[in-house]
Amino acid sequence: MAQAQVAVVHTVTMRLRAVPLLAALVATACLAACDSGDGRSLAPLDPDPTIAPVTQPPALEVFSLSSVAFSEGGAIPALYTCAGTSISPDMAWASAPQAAELALVVRDLNADGFVHWVITGIDPAAQSFAAGALPEGAQELQNSDGSIGWFAPCPPAGGGEHLYQFVLHAVPDPLDLDADEPAERAAAAVEAASTDQAVLTGTFTR
């Protein structure tokens, strides 16, 4: 009976000793299979031809409006207001969508949407116009004061900061608006026809 127990213990001991040896043999075989051939480095894995490489999507082009005179959310210099010469500011745009024309509407958001400027017939390819000027073919319409063209910001003195929103609209079909069209009606017509917009905001305090 004792001899049988000794035999069992001997067999179990031999099996336990064989486990590390077997693991070492497997690791050696793996290293040999993965070796690049010089005995020092592992061969790189071959890429799977069925898996497409990951590529970054192209950057989206955004329709945008800017001005040399002021930056987004910045103060409109006095030069372009009733505290200065009242000249109209420059405008520039990028990535304009396909459109029959562009149209600009400028409102004072702190004065019930008072219309300071309406321009129609802007060529999308023009990309900019200088201060005091307009792109060729563009037409200025009435502002809320009843005059044609740019009505310079002129909030009440001591009335706090006013926010002026310049919105350039992409219009799919030509607008048929007369220069003497009332400002609110003209602005509303542009906004209703618009399919895309670029926005620039500026502030002025008097």
Side-chain angles (χ1 to χ4, degrees):
M1 185 66 179
Q3 289 180 349
Q5 290 177 340
V6 170
V8 170
V9 172
H10 178 72
T11 302
V12 171
T13 302
M14 292 299 291
R15 288 179 178 173
L16 290 174
R17 289 176 177 173
V19 170
L21 178 61
L22 179 60
L25 290 173
V26 171
T28 302
C30 180
L31 288 173
C34 297
D35 197 280
S36 63
D38 61 6
R40 293 176 298 173
S41 59
L42 298 179
L45 296 175
D46 292 332
D48 188 342
T50 63
I51 301 176
V54 177
T55 56
Q56 290 293 108
L60 295 177
E61 294 185 345
V62 179
F63 184 29
S64 60
L65 181 65
S66 62
S67 175
V68 173
F70 61 97
S71 58
E72 170 61 30
I76 299 172
L79 175 69
Y80 306 99
T81 73
C82 67
T85 64
S86 298
I87 188 174
S88 59
D90 68 283
M91 291 283 123
W93 54 94
S95 302
Q98 291 288 334
E101 66 178 83
L102 302 179
L104 181 69
V105 174
V106 181
R107 291 181 179 271
D108 182 344
L109 301 186
N110 298 100
D112 298 323
F114 184 101
V115 179
H116 282 262
W117 210 9
V118 179
I119 308 173
T120 60
I122 302 172
D123 183 354
Q127 296 188 324
S128 67
F129 56 86
L134 289 178
E136 184 177 353
Q139 178 186 32
E140 290 180 304
L141 279 64
Q142 278 193 36
N143 53 57
S144 289
D145 186 57
S147 57
I148 301 292
W150 167 250
F151 184 78
C154 197
E161 181 181 87
H162 278 230
L163 184 65
Y164 298 88
Q165 189 175 69
F166 295 68
V167 184
L168 189 62
H169 298 269
V171 182
D173 299 305
L175 292 164
D176 186 19
L177 297 172
D178 294 329
D180 59 355
E181 190 82 28
E184 186 54 51
R185 192 188 308 175
V190 170
E191 291 160 352
S194 175
T195 56
D196 202 354
Q197 305 85 34
V199 181
L200 175 66
T201 55
T203 65
F204 181 61
T205 306
R206 195 160 159 252

